[in-house]
Amino acid sequence: MDEDALDALATAVRRADSTVALTGAGVSTASGIPSFRGEDGIWDRWDPNAFHRRRLEADPAGFWTDRVDLRAELVAGDPEPNDAHGALAAMERRGHLDAVVTQNVDGLHADAGTDRLVELHGTNRRVRCDDCGERRPAEPVFERVRDGSVPPRCGCGGVYRPDVVLFGESLDDDALDRAQRLARESDVFLAVGSSLSVRPAALLPRIAVDADASLAIVNFEPTPRDGDADHLFREDVTDLLPALEARVRRCQG
Ligand code: ZN
């Protein structure tokens, strides 16, 4: 690890009034969550049309039957927060991180204790009624589906759906607004484990840089935003973030 580069980033974080992290799939893979995109990713092996908005409307029972199978694969390794999730939560607790904006839907940032969290694509931990919008924890509803209640229905008669952005749907305006505001108001924008290739994650670093933030990118693979980065690390996020957290904390006194 480049210690000087890490020192420079730690100094920037310490001096910042606002540091915001954007996290992508690379933060979850270390917890055993299979990646969604790319070769042998979830969407390489599962037909995305099975989880399309149109399928939910046309064949809600089939949608849910497939969704239960997908979920079984996603949680097969009993995923828990890893050191990267932990480091971000610790930085927030000590006042060195304003918020985490995530592309992930696995709920692991919340498990790790991150409080100020924007889940751009929603969360698999909840379902919501497609008619009245009522939200509830997902697991009991998955249980009902496994017991044969397909599709699962809300008290109002509407069909439940995962509280995530489905194929064929647009992002939640409120989440997007919050993420853009956080990016605009940040002094340090930390993009972690994201290929920065999918909107809106692709746009947020640019918004931050345009508002004069320092941009740090931590990712194994090159990203389209690397040319804008003030701090660039081709490191494992579970090594880099704990090292950064320790350094920011140590230099505090
Ligand atoms: Zn309802």
Side-chain angles (χ1 to χ4, degrees):
M1 198 175 301
D2 184 336
E3 302 290 330
D4 289 343
L6 193 57
D7 277 338
L9 177 55
T11 301
V13 168
R14 227 164 34 240
R15 288 180 181 160
D17 286 330
S18 172
T19 296
V20 170
L22 167 70
T23 66
V27 172
S28 291
T29 46
S31 289
I33 304 267
S35 59
F36 284 84
R37 292 168 192 281
E39 204 175 320
D40 205 37
I42 290 287
W43 303 135
D44 199 33
R45 288 174 289 121
W46 291 74
D47 180 5
N49 287 318
F51 305 104
H52 197 282
R53 169 82 217 166
R54 281 193 305 269
R55 174 100 189 276
L56 178 69
E57 288 171 10
D59 177 20
F63 175 99
W64 270 100
T65 301
D66 284 343
R67 191 78 194 182
V68 164
D69 289 344
L70 173 65
R71 179 181 175 89
E73 182 171 336
L74 290 177
V75 301
D78 202 8
E80 290 185 4
N82 60 54
D83 290 347
H85 297 104
L88 291 172
M91 285 174 67
E92 183 188 21
R93 257 194 322 275
R94 292 175 189 277
H96 298 305
L97 186 70
D98 256 13
V100 172
V101 177
T102 188
Q103 299 170 265
N104 303 332
V105 293
D106 47 50
L108 292 176
H109 281 299
D111 287 351
T114 288
D115 195 31
R116 206 158 169 223
L117 179 62
V118 180
E119 293 171 308
L120 284 171
H121 297 110
T123 175
N124 267 335
R125 295 295 180 82
R126 286 191 311 262
V127 297
R128 74 170 191 266
C129 172
D130 206 37
D131 284 354
C132 75
E134 186 215 30
R135 288 180 161 87
R136 50 176 24 197
E139 191 47 43
V141 173
F142 275 99
E143 201 64 57
R144 279 163 55 185
V145 174
R146 284 190 288 265
D147 289 344
S149 170
V150 275
R153 289 186 186 278
C154 170
C156 83
V159 171
Y160 280 123
R161 40 86 44 87
D163 197 11
V164 298
V165 179
L166 301 175
F167 291 106
E169 292 182 326
S170 47
L171 293 185
D172 176 65
D173 283 341
D174 182 52
L176 194 53
D177 284 349
R178 287 174 65 204
Q180 289 177 334
R181 192 168 59 245
L182 284 163
R184 210 161 32 239
E185 293 173 357
S186 69
D187 302 305
V188 175
F189 192 84
L190 199 53
V192 190
S194 171
S195 64
L196 303 180
S197 58
V198 183
R199 283 166 171 262
L203 298 175
L204 295 171
R206 175 53 65 81
I207 290 172
V209 167
D210 284 350
D212 290 332
S214 294
L215 175 62
I217 295 178
V218 186
N219 203 50
F220 264 133
E221 305 292 324
T223 83
R225 293 272 85 87
D226 287 359
D228 293 332
D230 302 280
H231 311 269
L232 185 60
F233 298 90
R234 299 249 178 273
E235 302 273 350
D236 191 315
V237 297
T238 59
D239 293 331
L240 194 283
L241 288 182
L244 175 65
E245 189 275 326
R247 203 155 300 213
V248 172
R249 173 161 38 91
R250 218 169 34 236
C251 299
Q252 197 43 24

